Amino acid sequence: MSSLTNAMLKAERHSFILHQLNIYNRILSSDLSQKLNVSEDTIRRDLNELADNGQLIKVHGGALSRSYGHIATRSEVYATNQKDIIAQKTLSLIREGMFLLLGGGTTVRSLVRMIPSHLRLTIFTISPVIALELIENPNLEVYLLGGRVTAENQICSGGEVIHRLSEIRVDLLILGTTGIDAVQGLTESDMEVVQVKKAMMKSADQVAILTISEKLGTSHRMKLCDLGSIQTLITELEPQDASLQMYAKAGLTLL
């Protein structure tokens, strides 16, 4: 195989890796190895090169999108227009005096930046990044449910967080998801994330899932829940869109 062909193949891998990061924010080397049918050593070299070029953040077992951190600019976040549409729709669920529980991620971050300054809310979150955004609003009472924080997940996890979640009750849980499928339900790529999100769902009267449409029909290694465990699905699409009808048939309210 010529060096030119090798370079083309590497460029295609890099493009695929960056696109996966844009969609999911975090990717595992083992998953990339399977999807691209190359060795994990090859993937590690690819990730190291992309990290050296400032295109991603290398972490143990994989990589993070540069948009995932608290210092990310709007221009670094993938699908900002779609996420703004989702955030605007989600605002229709929020009422004065509500108790909310928020996950992390760039779509939820878009939402918290849009919360009107006059609304008085009590908000719990497992995300230090989201908590930092929320405290800019003086009418919000903000609680960070602390625990172990890793670069890979950038949320608080572990037994302490799960215990604290068992002691609260909120009107609405607002979560992003790694994967959602009409048959498989909601899935994640990390077991610690699954355990924390399950505890969050037990603490909420209603659950709303926020996701860009590119995640529809995707599934990952760890099962979070069936669609019956959530009430509302919010995407940038119109509720009548054909790609959403299987979710409507499952009984979800679509926004």
Side-chain angles (χ1 to χ4, degrees), residues 64-65 76 85-86 109 135 141 144 148 153 166 176 178 200 215 229 236 253 255:
L64 297 176
S65 167
E76 291 177 304
I85 292 169
I86 293 168
R109 194 175 180 188
I135 60 175
E141 189 171 352
L144 175 63
R148 178 174 177 263
N153 295 327
S166 71
T178 301
M200 295 174 81
K215 293 184 181 181
S229 297
E236 80 278 10
T253 298
L255 295 181

Side-chain angles (χ1 to χ4, degrees), residues 40-233:
E40 288 197 40
D41 284 341
T42 297
I43 294 298
R44 278 191 285 271
R45 287 193 294 270
D46 287 339
L47 295 182
N48 286 334
E49 185 172 335
L50 290 167
D52 289 343
N53 291 335
Q55 294 175 276
L56 54 76
I57 301 169
K58 184 76 166 59
V59 294
H60 178 71
L64 297 176
S65 167
R66 288 183 56 82
S67 69
Y68 206 44
H70 69 282
I71 61 173
T73 64
R74 180 176 170 84
S75 63
E76 291 177 304
V77 175
Y78 180 68
T80 52
N81 291 337
Q82 293 94 317
K83 291 174 182 179
D84 285 348
I85 292 169
I86 293 168
Q88 193 67 50
K89 289 181 178 183
T90 307
L91 287 177
S92 67
L93 300 176
I94 300 175
R95 301 284 184 269
E96 176 78 17
M98 288 182 77
F99 281 63
L100 304 178
L101 177 57
L102 304 182
T106 51
T107 309
V108 175
R109 194 175 180 188
S110 294
L111 168 66
V112 301
R113 290 173 172 173
M114 291 186 185
I115 294 176
S117 59
H118 67 272
L119 276 183
R120 295 186 179 275
L121 305 166
T122 300
I123 302 181
F124 300 87
T125 183
I126 60 169
S127 167
V129 174
I130 297 300
L132 287 171
E133 295 277 358
L134 290 167
I135 60 175
E136 297 296 321
N137 188 330
N139 283 326
L140 303 180
E141 189 171 352
V142 181
Y143 294 89
L144 175 63
L145 303 176
R148 178 174 177 263
V149 182
T150 65
E152 291 84 358
N153 295 327
Q154 299 195 17
I155 60 170
C156 300
S157 61
E160 181 179 350
V161 175
I162 292 172
H163 174 70
R164 293 191 67 188
L165 284 165
S166 71
E167 297 179 328
I168 64 174
R169 193 75 198 168
V170 299
D171 301 301
L172 177 64
L173 166 62
I174 299 172
L175 273 181
T177 184
T178 301
I180 180 168
D181 179 79
V183 176
Q184 299 296 324
L186 272 63
T187 53
E188 296 289 337
S189 58
D190 186 279
M191 183 53 72
E192 282 196 359
V193 173
V194 168
Q195 297 306 314
V196 172
K197 286 190 173 182
K198 282 185 175 182
M200 295 174 81
M201 296 174 77
K202 289 179 182 178
S203 299
D205 292 336
Q206 297 284 318
V207 180
I209 297 298
L210 282 52
T211 182
I212 58 174
S213 59
E214 283 185 81
K215 293 184 181 181
L216 296 174
T218 66
S219 61
H220 298 265
R221 294 174 181 270
M222 310 294 179
K223 179 72 173 279
L224 173 58
C225 67
D226 293 320
L227 292 183
S229 297
I230 65 177
Q231 288 73 45
T232 306
L233 175 62

